[in-house]
Amino acid sequence: MHYLLNDDQQMIVDICRQIVDEKVKPVRAELDEKKEFPWDAIKEIARSDLSRLFIAEEYEGMGTGIFEICLATEELSRGDLSVATSFAASGLGLIPINIAGSDEQKKKYLPQLASGEKLAAFGLTEAEAGSDVGGIRTTAVKDGDHYVINGTKQWITNGGEAEIYTIFAMTNPEKGARGASVFIVEKGTPGFEFGKQEDKLGIRASATRELIFTDCRVPAENLLGREGMGFLIAMKTFDESRPAVGAQAVGVAQGALEEALEYSKVRKQFGSAISSFQAIQHMLADMATSVEAARALVYHTAKVIDSGAKDASRLSAMSKVFASDMAMKVTTDAVQILAGYGYMKEYPVEKMMRDAKITQIYEGTNQIQRNIIALDLIKKGVL
């Protein structure tokens, strides 16, 4: 469908599509098999200035909005969710700097991220703390003009590959979630090490590692905002980032739909292409309708956020939960249409199905998203 994109927005889509077709699709199966970080694609994304989408013009970015980020993320996800996740996770890692960073912090870090010279990562999740920010056990204790960080972060996307990390730690554990703060920690800081690279079901080419902090001394000037702002920064970050997860889901579902449609035209049974069978036609129709509905919700949410709306939590959660549930259904149906071939690694839809699952889990499970939606409904009513 036509979404009335302006010339700049259409250019973003076209550039991403070219990168996907030329640099991603030919190697995605190999990268998945080897669990190899897609550096070539990430560098091509940086050369195309797509890393600048997340950052304001005064810090060498493009000053675009969430909508443009969703356009890029969707197109990259159409080719390989691992590449899109690595790209989007860097944006996630820098959002706290956008939200709470001082001008000095932004001038120091954002130009490096805008150029793609360095990647960022977002360090919140722990073994017993993901959606529950108050469950964080990593601590940051003030010691003169430094904070000393101790603890372990788990399942951190871009872990080990990123150079700049936004790390959530408790500066006042007695206050629970209200005692969390956020720090910028650079790779190579003494006391900051990486654990194992996880062996995942999907998005296998994206890096997922533990972050281990042992008496890691971070300059006090690396505190984002003030002590105790961590929970607020995390929630504001997720409000901005969840539509991009929805865009990831739309992209991987679109890719699966395209594969299923093309296969249905060439696969013959009983002397006819299976696309002539009404059962297959109905599956394709439902898949296409679901993708388009999710895309419309994601785009609408992004535009609401870009308009400056103060509270987009409900809509942001809706876009994430609806699109990711859709992606799981559409990719599973794509495997079904390809039947035995769909179950084989020779065809990309089995990978797309494996990849799609994570969109229902990361940046807040879909069960948590439903909690957010329901509580907002109860508090404010139907808008």
Side-chain angles (χ1 to χ4, degrees), residues 56 77 124 160 218 230-231 289 319:
S77 301
L124 173 64
V218 176
F231 179 78
T289 301
S319 68

Side-chain angles (χ1 to χ4, degrees), residues 121-130 132-140 149-160 165-171 179-183 185 191-198 208-214 230 234:
F122 182 83
L124 173 64
T125 304
E126 299 180 6
E128 296 184 8
D132 178 14
V133 178
I136 290 174
R137 295 291 176 263
T138 297
T139 60
I149 301 178
N150 282 282
T152 302
K153 297 295 179 180
Q154 191 170 17
W155 303 322
I156 304 304
T157 305
N158 285 356
Y165 296 77
T166 46
I167 301 299
F168 291 75
M170 302 301 293
T171 47
S181 302
V182 194
F183 300 86
V185 184
F192 177 22
E193 298 178 332
F194 303 104
K196 65 175 181 176
Q197 179 171 344
E198 301 291 350
T208 306
R209 288 191 178 89
E210 291 178 321
L211 311 182
I212 302 169
F213 299 92
T214 307

Side-chain angles (χ1 to χ4, degrees), residues 263 267 335 337-350:
Y263 179 85
R267 175 61 169 169
V335 170
I337 289 173
L338 270 69
Y341 289 108
Y343 204 68
M344 304 301 157
K345 289 185 179 292
E346 180 181 355
Y347 289 80
V349 290
E350 64 85 27

Side-chain angles (χ1 to χ4, degrees), residues 61-379:
M62 287 186 174
T64 53
I66 303 298
F67 180 60
E68 286 78 9
I69 291 167
C70 285
L71 290 175
T73 302
E74 177 187 336
E75 280 302 317
L76 294 173
S77 301
R78 184 179 67 88
D80 186 357
L81 194 58
S82 291
V83 171
T85 296
S86 304
F87 165 76
S90 187
L92 174 66
L94 67 83
I95 289 176
I97 302 176
N98 279 341
I99 291 172
S102 65
D103 186 54
E104 290 76 13
Q105 289 170 329
K106 291 178 178 179
K107 285 179 178 177
K108 180 177 181 180
Y109 293 106
L110 293 183
Q112 303 174 59
L113 296 168
S115 68
E117 172 191 347
K118 295 181 179 180
L119 294 179
F122 182 83
L124 173 64
T125 304
E126 299 180 6
E128 296 184 8
S131 301
D132 178 14
V133 178
I136 290 174
R137 295 291 176 263
T138 297
T139 60
V141 178
K142 188 75 179 292
D143 182 24
D145 57 358
H146 284 74
Y147 285 87
V148 180
I149 301 178
N150 282 282
T152 302
K153 297 295 179 180
Q154 191 170 17
W155 303 322
I156 304 304
T157 305
N158 285 356
E161 307 296 337
E163 298 279 350
I164 298 168
Y165 296 77
T166 46
I167 301 299
F168 291 75
M170 302 301 293
T171 47
N172 193 339
E174 294 76 19
K175 290 186 176 181
R178 301 296 176 182
S181 302
V182 194
F183 300 86
I184 301 171
V185 184
E186 297 183 44
K187 183 178 180 179
T189 302
F192 177 22
E193 298 178 332
F194 303 104
K196 65 175 181 176
Q197 179 171 344
E198 301 291 350
D199 189 7
K200 307 187 294 290
L201 170 72
I203 57 166
R204 290 169 56 81
S206 73
T208 306
R209 288 191 178 89
E210 291 178 321
L211 311 182
I212 302 169
F213 299 92
T214 307
D215 294 332
C216 177
R217 295 180 63 83
V218 176
E221 64 192 33
N222 283 25
L223 172 68
L224 284 172
R226 303 185 306 276
E227 284 192 11
M229 288 184 64
F231 179 78
L232 179 62
I233 293 171
M235 295 305 102
K236 287 185 175 181
T237 296
F238 288 141
D239 282 350
E240 292 188 17
S241 68
R242 282 176 178 145
V245 178
Q248 290 179 0
V250 170
V252 71
Q254 179 69 41
L257 171 60
E258 291 171 3
E259 294 288 341
L261 178 60
E262 289 307 308
Y263 179 85
S264 75
K265 295 176 181 178
V266 298
R267 175 61 169 169
K268 291 188 176 182
Q269 291 286 277
F270 307 105
S272 300
I274 64 172
S275 61
S276 67
F277 302 160
Q278 190 177 62
I280 299 297
Q281 291 175 356
H282 286 185
M283 289 180 71
L284 291 168
D286 287 345
M287 292 160 71
T289 301
S290 297
V291 170
E292 208 58 62
R295 178 178 287 120
L297 179 56
V298 168
Y299 286 9
H300 172 66
T301 302
K303 289 183 176 182
V304 168
I305 294 171
D306 288 340
S307 74
K310 297 299 183 182
D311 185 4
S313 296
R314 183 200 302 185
L315 203 53
S316 186
M318 285 177 171
S319 68
K320 194 266 189 189
V321 72
F322 184 81
S324 58
D325 283 351
M326 175 279 299
M328 198 68 245
K329 177 66 164 59
V330 167
T331 55
T332 302
D333 284 347
V335 170
Q336 188 70 23
I337 289 173
L338 270 69
Y341 289 108
Y343 204 68
M344 304 301 157
K345 289 185 179 292
E346 180 181 355
Y347 289 80
V349 290
E350 64 85 27
K351 175 186 181 301
M352 292 171 173
M353 184 178 72
R354 289 188 285 110
D355 287 350
K357 183 61 189 175
I358 192 60
T359 63
Q360 294 179 305
I361 297 172
Y362 60 13
E363 293 195 41
T365 67
N366 282 7
Q367 287 70 34
I368 290 295
Q369 302 312 306
R370 288 180 168 89
N371 287 350
I372 293 170
I373 295 164
L375 290 173
D376 196 66
L377 279 170
I378 292 166
K379 179 180 178 181

